[in-house]
Amino acid sequence: MTGLFDNIHAGLDQQGAIDILSKEVGILESESDYYMAISHLINFPGPKTSQALLAFLDKCSADVPVGLAQRKAVEVLARLGVAEATSKIASFLSSSDVYMVENAAWALSHLNCQDPEVHQHMIDLVDDASQNQRVLIQSLSKLSVKAAISTISVHTAHEKTSVRGAAIAAMIHLSGDQSHLADLSDHLYGANQMDRQSAVQDVIDANAVELLSDLMQAPISPAFRMRAVRFLLNNPSNKLSNNDALSAVDQILFDDPRLITVLHHYGDPLPTELLIDGLFHPDFSRCYLAMQALVKRDAQEIWSAIENCWQDKAHNDYGAHYFLMRLFGLVEGWTDEALLDIRKILSDAITDKRPQFRKSPPAALLSFAKLFTGQYDCFLDNCMSLENNLSWDMRYAGLLLIQSDQTEHLQLRYQLQLQQLVESDGDSLLQLKAQSILDRG
């Protein structure tokens, strides 16, 4: 439940947010004010925030804005690690609002609630089809409640893929029962994208390193694949080797569509314009299908189709934008005229700070380096600067450029930065990648 959008009300201070919570519903400027204020309080950990959130949970009201905000308060208290909120949050397991029950179960697992009575209440709720059975199972598994094994085991045959997957992962974690492990692989290639995304979390929860190859080929967002690799690497059991983790991260960042197993096909070849339209599809299987076809098309045809939609919609659609950044580096034969515009597009994308466009900068950098060999020094300097606050994946993309330099000139140039990454960077993947480059030398 964490995200890049926690601090989007920079002008609102802690007291201002708390003051909003003390207002009556009727005098709010907007019905979303309570929710907004509570969301913003994640930026102010401490007793004052905790007390304000707990007081808001005591508010008895049937007003929708209050109910929505109380759900959020439960989440924020858990994310802030407010242990004294546990009993209050547990009381919401009896709520008539199934979404509040869902948030309460998640929050209790996040707070590591070890109250057997609370556990039993959650176990009883697992068999209630009106509840979010997936979240309840996940929460019991995270809390390592072995008393839930018999109840959860029944749901390994549940009709809903998402519930079935959570139960399979929980059984692997709680009892070591891997008899349904192959089902998780099948779920990664299910017809429903939401089920495929849920399956990624199930692989994480089961610590199923055995399914890494399936995961890497699954037609899902690269962000989901990357998240899984990071969690598998950092799992305390450490079943994923460093080399396998680095190879997986490299593959995800280069994201060659030809390595993805798609679930759809075209009956007849589509015009290039329609293939570009396919990059806007919400289902990643269809996006990768379009990419697989586009890399075989004429560069001039592709550029003409991109020009026709870039200003209209492509520049502001974060899904299509990402795929276009990858496409630029995969297609050969761009004209000099097209390259002038592509260079500007890629340069802008490399420095794009919009949170929802997070996947695009590393993709743009790698494509820029492919198209404009030896002309990316300023971008690489920024990636390797010890002063910057770039995302870890953007910095990792910089390391990929250093690794790809066969002359080892770049390795020598950034020797100090590489050593400091190894010695003091807080990101394990950056440390491992930097070390692998130094070892090569």
Side-chain angles (χ1 to χ4, degrees):
M1 293 191 180
T2 59
L4 298 172
F5 304 95
D6 288 334
N7 193 15
I8 59 174
H9 304 286
L12 183 63
D13 62 14
Q14 180 184 30
Q15 189 57 51
I18 292 173
D19 289 344
I20 290 172
L21 300 184
S22 66
K23 294 180 180 179
E24 296 299 321
V25 174
I27 63 172
L28 294 177
E29 293 183 10
S30 169
E31 289 191 347
S32 64
D33 281 356
Y34 286 153
Y35 190 96
M36 176 274 294
I38 287 173
S39 299
H40 191 60
L41 285 173
I42 191 70
N43 299 294
F44 305 100
K48 190 174 180 180
T49 287
S50 302
Q51 291 164 12
L53 293 174
L54 285 168
F56 191 81
L57 287 179
D58 285 332
K59 186 186 289 285
C60 294
S61 172
D63 292 313
V64 172
V66 175
L68 292 173
Q70 286 180 329
R71 288 183 209 157
K72 189 65 177 179
V74 165
E75 175 199 325
V76 172
L77 283 164
R79 287 177 59 192
L80 291 175
V82 183
E84 59 266 34
T86 301
S87 60
K88 182 63 181 179
I89 292 173
S91 71
F92 286 109
L93 290 174
S94 300
S95 173
S96 59
D97 177 359
V98 295
Y99 299 107
M100 176 58 95
V101 175
E102 173 187 333
N103 275 23
W106 175 87
L108 290 167
S109 70
H110 205 71
L111 291 170
N112 194 29
C113 171
Q114 291 302 323
D115 185 332
E117 291 186 10
V118 174
H119 293 172
Q120 188 57 53
H121 195 169
M122 294 168 69
I123 293 170
D124 293 341
L125 289 168
V126 168
D127 289 328
D128 183 348
S130 70
Q131 300 292 341
N132 190 322
Q133 294 166 296
R134 175 176 172 82
V135 170
L136 285 161
I137 291 170
Q138 288 176 318
S139 299
L140 287 163
S141 178
K142 185 174 180 180
L143 291 168
S144 298
V145 182
K146 294 191 180 297
I149 289 176
S150 61
T151 298
I152 292 173
S153 65
V154 175
H155 295 283
T156 58
H158 199 283
E159 61 180 357
K160 291 183 180 178
T161 301
S162 62
V163 177
R164 187 165 67 249
I168 292 169
M171 290 300 292
I172 292 172
H173 174 64
L174 293 173
S175 69
D177 178 6
Q178 294 193 323
S179 59
H180 297 284
L181 182 63
D183 288 351
L184 293 187
S185 175
D186 293 339
H187 294 176
L188 288 168
Y189 299 93
N192 183 287
Q193 177 160 262
M194 290 296 292
D195 286 340
R196 299 198 298 271
Q197 293 171 349
S198 294
V200 175
Q201 185 60 51
D202 298 333
V203 170
I204 292 171
D205 292 343
N207 193 27
V209 173
E210 304 90 337
L211 300 182
L212 181 61
S213 177
D214 296 314
L215 181 73
M216 296 301 294
Q217 300 173 65
I220 52 178
S221 166
F224 280 86
R225 280 178 270 139
M226 189 69 81
R227 181 171 178 272
V229 171
R230 291 184 69 87
F231 270 89
L232 292 173
L233 176 65
N234 293 322
N235 188 289
S237 72
N238 199 26
K239 289 166 60 178
L240 181 62
S241 73
N242 292 345
N243 286 339
D244 286 345
L246 291 178
S247 295
V249 173
D250 292 0
Q251 183 176 328
I252 294 168
L253 284 177
F254 282 116
D255 203 15
D256 188 333
R258 292 162 291 197
L259 301 179
I260 300 297
T261 301
V262 296
L263 308 173
H264 305 87
H265 70 279
Y266 299 128
D268 297 303
L270 294 183
T272 300
E273 290 80 4
L274 290 182
L275 292 178
I276 294 295
D277 283 344
L279 304 182
F280 293 84
H281 202 284
D283 189 324
F284 275 79
S285 176
R286 294 190 180 276
C287 295
Y288 282 111
L289 176 65
M291 286 285 285
Q292 290 175 355
L294 281 166
V295 295
K296 301 174 184 177
R297 292 294 171 89
D298 177 74
Q300 286 183 274
E301 281 187 25
I302 295 173
W303 177 243
S304 177
I306 293 173
E307 276 191 308
N308 289 337
C309 71
W310 178 256
Q311 286 301 333
D312 181 41
K313 57 180 181 178
H315 79 285
N316 204 35
D317 182 290
Y318 60 86
H321 188 276
Y322 164 74
F323 281 111
L324 288 172
M325 297 309 106
R326 291 301 308 123
L327 188 65
F328 288 136
L330 290 167
V331 172
E332 297 182 356
W334 301 112
T335 66
D336 290 342
E337 182 182 2
L339 284 172
L340 287 174
D341 289 328
I342 291 171
R343 184 187 182 101
K344 175 67 164 59
I345 289 172
L346 290 173
S347 297
D348 289 344
I350 290 170
T351 57
D352 197 326
K353 302 298 184 186
R354 292 175 292 178
Q356 66 270 40
F357 284 74
R358 164 110 184 232
K359 296 192 300 291
S360 286
L365 177 60
L366 295 174
S367 289
F368 189 100
K370 177 80 177 294
L371 294 175
F372 307 104
T373 307
Q375 301 177 45
Y376 50 81
D377 284 11
C378 62
F379 297 126
L380 186 53
D381 283 344
N382 193 34
C383 288
M384 297 306 297
S385 170
L386 301 175
E387 310 278 315
N388 71 42
N389 58 352
L390 294 178
S391 63
W392 78 268
D393 43 353
M394 189 63 180
R395 299 166 70 199
Y396 193 104
L399 293 176
L400 284 174
L401 297 185
I402 296 174
Q403 176 183 265
S404 67
D405 177 24
Q406 298 302 314
T407 68
E408 298 187 9
H409 165 73
L410 292 178
Q411 180 177 336
L412 292 173
R413 176 177 170 181
Y414 295 108
Q415 187 83 6
L416 176 61
Q417 291 92 328
L418 289 168
Q419 290 174 342
Q420 291 190 312
L421 277 176
V422 170
E423 294 168 5
S424 59
D425 197 89
D427 190 287
S428 57
L429 280 172
L430 290 173
Q431 287 181 314
L432 290 174
K433 192 63 177 177
Q435 185 64 63
S436 71
I437 294 172
L438 290 172
D439 290 343
R440 183 190 67 174

